[in-house]
């Protein structure tokens, strides 16, 4: 049974005349008659009977008519929903945003872009870094800002900025570090960090680095147990806001940093995706030089 057959059947039942139904449907009468015959063969019942010059529904046809109308209405409603969803997808910007010191500036760029393009909706996702390339390829995501540069030929990536790090400690008799501490000097102390963007432990060979997801624990370890924290600038600001006695120094001299990229699928069919991609590059290119305190 096909949707076309249901449409032909319903119109024929309403017109009660094969010729009039064929004209209304803009099909040849022979084609209409053939489709009605196939439908009757499929159902195993006669749907119409001839009454004078017209045709009328049989008892079985009357029963099937109600079901056919309901089926067709359901199909049309589903089609409308699918069309609405397709339209919504065409005007929705799906973004993955890896946490960084520049997150607020990325969001400022997004807000500015949305004010200029009010018809666009957006979704911000925070996904596992290992899955974002697949999500770009299957078009679940439109724009990705992350620590990964894609090498897939279908994806284009551009460097936005570098995520820099700082070392933070509470100066005491137990913890004394210079402004530009060496790796050896840092590794004399227990090292901790907060949800790093990349595997920061590879930088420290002599001593491992513990990862915590609660900044209050990091604060406690720095104050009470003589730890040293490796943090982004924004994370360091959070600590010093509640405890200004912490000492904060940049790790630029040790080249402990990570590039952050913007990526999109090259053949993305949403024109506004390329526009925001280019806007991000224009916004961040003057800021590429590593920022300082």
């Amino acid at each position: 049974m096909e949707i076309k057959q249901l449409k032909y059947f319903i119109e024929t039942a309403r017109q009660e005349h094969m010729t009039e139904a064929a004209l209304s449907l803009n099909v040849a009468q022979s084609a209409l008659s053939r489709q009605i015959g196939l439908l009757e063969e499929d159902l195993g019942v006669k749907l119409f009977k001839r009454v004078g010059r017209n045709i009328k529904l049989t008892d079985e046809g009357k029963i099937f008519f109600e079901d056919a109308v309901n089926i067709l209405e359901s199909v049309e409603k589903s089609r409308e929903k699918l069309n609405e969803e397709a339209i919504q997808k065409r005007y929705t910007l799906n973004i993955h945003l890896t946490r960084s010191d520049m997150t607020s500036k990325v969001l400022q760029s997004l807000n500015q872009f949305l004010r200029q393009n009010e018809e666009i909706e957006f979704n911000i996702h925070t996904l596992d870094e290992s899955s974002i390339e697949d999500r770009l390829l299957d078009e679940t995501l439109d724009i990705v800002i992350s620590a990964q540069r894609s090498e897939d030929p279908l994806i284009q990536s551009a460097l936005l900025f570098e995520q820099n790090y700082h070392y933070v400690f509470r100066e005491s008799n137990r913890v004394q570090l210079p402004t530009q501490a060496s790796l050896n000097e840092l590794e004399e102390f227990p090292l901790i960090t907060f949800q790093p963007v990349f595997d920061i432990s590879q930088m420290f060979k002599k001593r491992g680095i513990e990862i915590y997801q609660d900044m209050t624990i990091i604060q406690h370890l720095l104050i009470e147990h003589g730890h040293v924290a490796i943090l982004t600038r924004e994370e360091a600001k959070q600590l010093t806001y509640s405890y200004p006695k912490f000492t904060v120094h940049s790790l630029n001299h040790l080249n402990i940093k990570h590039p952050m990229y913007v990526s999109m699928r090259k053949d993305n069919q949403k024109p506004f995706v390329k526009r925001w991609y280019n806007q991000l590059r224009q916004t961040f290119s003057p800021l590429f030089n590593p920022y300082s305190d």
Side-chain angles (χ1 to χ4, degrees), residues 113-173:
F113 182 75
L114 293 174
R115 286 197 299 270
Q116 297 167 350
N117 301 271
E118 295 182 354
E119 75 281 7
I120 298 173
E121 301 292 332
F122 72 96
N123 293 315
I124 296 180
H125 308 263
T126 304
L127 304 176
D128 186 273
E129 291 279 316
S130 63
S131 69
I132 56 177
E133 184 174 283
D134 290 338
R135 300 291 76 80
L136 276 174
L137 291 172
D138 68 16
E139 299 182 282
T140 305
L141 293 172
D142 298 307
I143 291 280
V144 162
I145 298 169
S146 76
Q148 287 192 7
R149 179 186 182 93
S150 176
E151 301 299 332
D152 191 287
L154 295 177
I155 297 174
Q156 63 187 77
S157 298
L159 180 64
L160 277 189
F161 56 89
E162 288 180 332
Q163 175 64 69
N164 295 316
Y165 287 85
H166 298 71
Y167 58 103
V168 182
F169 60 97
R170 181 194 177 199
E171 194 167 349
S172 66
N173 291 333

Side-chain angles (χ1 to χ4, degrees), residues 72-239:
L72 202 57
E73 287 179 352
S74 296
V75 170
E76 290 302 321
K77 287 179 181 178
S78 296
R79 183 177 285 118
E80 288 176 6
K81 289 180 181 178
L82 291 171
N83 288 338
E84 289 174 3
E85 185 177 350
I87 291 171
Q88 184 178 6
K89 284 182 178 179
R90 286 202 300 270
Y91 288 94
T92 300
L93 180 62
N94 292 295
I95 307 159
H96 164 83
L97 185 56
T98 297
R99 175 183 55 86
S100 73
D101 280 346
M102 287 295 187
T103 295
S104 61
K105 192 166 187 66
V106 171
L107 294 177
Q108 288 173 13
S109 173
L110 176 62
N111 287 334
Q112 179 186 0
F113 182 75
L114 293 174
R115 286 197 299 270
Q116 297 167 350
N117 301 271
E118 295 182 354
E119 75 281 7
I120 298 173
E121 301 292 332
F122 72 96
N123 293 315
I124 296 180
H125 308 263
T126 304
L127 304 176
D128 186 273
E129 291 279 316
S130 63
S131 69
I132 56 177
E133 184 174 283
D134 290 338
R135 300 291 76 80
L136 276 174
L137 291 172
D138 68 16
E139 299 182 282
T140 305
L141 293 172
D142 298 307
I143 291 280
V144 162
I145 298 169
S146 76
Q148 287 192 7
R149 179 186 182 93
S150 176
E151 301 299 332
D152 191 287
L154 295 177
I155 297 174
Q156 63 187 77
S157 298
L159 180 64
L160 277 189
F161 56 89
E162 288 180 332
Q163 175 64 69
N164 295 316
Y165 287 85
H166 298 71
Y167 58 103
V168 182
F169 60 97
R170 181 194 177 199
E171 194 167 349
S172 66
N173 291 333
R174 284 188 296 171
V175 185
Q176 293 284 341
L177 285 168
T179 302
Q180 293 191 345
S182 67
L183 278 178
N184 285 336
E185 288 173 313
L186 289 171
E187 290 179 326
E188 291 298 320
F189 303 95
L191 298 176
I192 54 178
T193 190
F194 178 80
Q195 296 179 319
V197 172
F198 69 107
D199 185 9
I200 204 168
S201 63
Q202 61 186 311
M203 300 291 181
F204 301 95
K205 307 299 183 182
K206 180 179 173 182
R207 179 189 287 271
I209 184 165
E210 296 292 330
I211 299 172
Y212 292 93
Q213 299 183 9
D214 188 332
M215 197 62 77
T216 58
I217 295 176
I218 291 178
Q219 177 177 297
H220 173 76
L221 292 173
L222 294 182
I223 294 173
E224 301 295 337
H225 298 281
H227 287 55
V228 174
I230 309 299
L231 303 172
T232 69
R233 182 177 64 179
E234 291 302 313
E235 292 161 358
K237 282 183 178 179
Q238 289 181 43
L239 281 179

Side-chain angles (χ1 to χ4, degrees), residues 7 20 48 111 132 184 217 231 250 276 287-288:
K7 288 182 177 179
E20 295 298 327
F48 293 100
N111 287 334
I132 56 177
N184 285 336
I217 295 176
L231 303 172
S250 170
W276 191 47
L287 304 174
F288 171 67

Side-chain angles (χ1 to χ4, degrees), residues 40 44 216 281:
E40 289 179 327
T216 58
R281 294 188 63 186

Side-chain angles (χ1 to χ4, degrees), residues 13-24:
R14 286 171 174 166
Q15 296 288 345
E16 295 187 341
H17 198 284
M18 193 71 73
T19 302
E20 295 298 327
L23 287 172
S24 176

